[in-house]
Amino acid sequence: LLFLTVFFRVVCFVFVDFQMKMTAGATYPNSAELAGFFGKFYMYLGLVTIVVQFLLIKVLLQKLGIITCLVFLPVVYIVMGGLFYNTGYYGSLAHFSLLIIAATNFLRLLFSESLDLPSRELLLLPLPPFLRIRAQAVMAGFVEPFSQGLGGLLVIGLSAFGMRLFQYSGAIMICSIIWIILLLFERPRYQQTL
């Protein structure tokens, strides 16, 4: 189940990243403005990540627990995906499309390494050392790169079939719901290994 959660997580990451880069490119057709946007985005991301790492992550893991922390990102994707979907489908939030998808990607990058990764590592901790090391190696060496490649192929295929940028949010929301369901199924198994 953990490998499936990683698969859906990475596919969501690829879709969100694609949406942000395409939206930013459409918003800033001038390369200097686009470079300025991405420069500021990653500068603020780095600064906020340092603060969050030192002040928030330990508290979140202790107060909420591992599974709840792992559910955080898919919930963000569902909420933000719904907002971004509305930018294209209804047009009601069209002026905020870059803000919405940039905020989604900001949260993805902020919490994927600082909250999601440690939570997944802690989830494997109760396993016997040999099994834990093997699971970590398979996850990092095969499941994540495979999922990223498949996510890229999905972007190519869905774009070739005319899927519009906002419609990727529907796929993100579906993947996020499956991701949450898988995590909820993992909870009892995790508690049994403790």
Side-chain angles (χ1 to χ4, degrees), residues 9 11 29-31 51 57 64 66 77 96-97 110 118 120 125 146 148 184:
R9 177 182 67 85
V11 169
N30 178 321
S31 62
V51 173
I57 298 305
L64 301 177
I66 294 169
Y77 287 155
F96 301 105
S97 61
L110 176 65
R120 279 186 291 123
L125 203 55
F146 174 79
Q148 189 171 20
L184 294 176

Side-chain angles (χ1 to χ4, degrees), residues 11-27 34 37-38 76-78 80-88 97-105 108 155 159 163-173 176:
V11 169
C12 286
F13 287 5
V14 170
F15 284 3
V16 168
D17 193 53
F18 171 70
Q19 283 181 311
M20 187 183 92
K21 288 176 179 167
M22 294 301 292
T23 304
T27 305
L34 187 60
F37 167 77
F38 280 113
V76 166
Y77 287 155
I78 291 168
M80 300 302 270
L83 290 172
F84 192 76
Y85 190 85
N86 284 326
T87 67
S97 61
L98 181 58
L99 175 65
I100 292 166
I101 198 61
T104 306
N105 207 27
R108 171 189 80 88
V155 167
S159 295
M163 185 174 232
R164 296 179 56 200
L165 196 57
F166 74 92
Q167 292 172 321
Y168 283 88
S169 292
I172 291 167
M173 290 186 291
S176 296

Side-chain angles (χ1 to χ4, degrees), residues 17-176:
D17 193 53
F18 171 70
Q19 283 181 311
M20 187 183 92
K21 288 176 179 167
M22 294 301 292
T23 304
T27 305
Y28 298 109
N30 178 321
S31 62
E33 291 175 339
L34 187 60
F37 167 77
F38 280 113
K40 289 176 188 172
F41 178 84
Y42 288 109
M43 177 190 69
Y44 291 126
L45 176 65
L47 294 172
V48 172
T49 300
I50 291 168
V51 173
V52 167
Q53 282 277 62
F54 287 106
L55 299 178
L56 191 60
I57 298 305
K58 182 179 177 183
V59 173
L60 287 174
L61 284 169
Q62 288 175 340
K63 299 283 184 192
L64 301 177
I66 294 169
I67 299 293
T68 305
C69 287
L70 285 169
V71 170
F72 178 77
L73 275 177
V75 169
V76 166
Y77 287 155
I78 291 168
V79 171
M80 300 302 270
L83 290 172
F84 192 76
Y85 190 85
N86 284 326
T87 67
Y89 190 73
Y90 298 110
S92 57
L93 300 172
H95 291 84
F96 301 105
S97 61
L98 181 58
L99 175 65
I100 292 166
I101 198 61
T104 306
N105 207 27
F106 189 91
L107 291 171
R108 171 189 80 88
L109 292 166
L110 176 65
F111 288 111
S112 66
E113 296 298 319
S114 62
L115 184 64
D116 193 69
L117 180 63
S119 297
R120 279 186 291 123
E121 296 293 327
L122 288 170
L123 196 62
L124 296 173
L125 203 55
L127 296 175
F130 172 77
L131 190 57
R132 180 179 63 244
I133 291 168
R134 183 152 172 93
Q136 289 169 328
V138 169
M139 206 164 30
F142 176 74
V143 176
E144 288 191 25
F146 174 79
S147 302
Q148 189 171 20
L150 188 59
L153 285 174
L154 285 170
V155 167
I156 292 168
L158 293 172
S159 295
F161 282 108
M163 185 174 232
R164 296 179 56 200
L165 196 57
F166 74 92
Q167 292 172 321
Y168 283 88
S169 292
I172 291 167
M173 290 186 291
I174 290 167
C175 286
S176 296

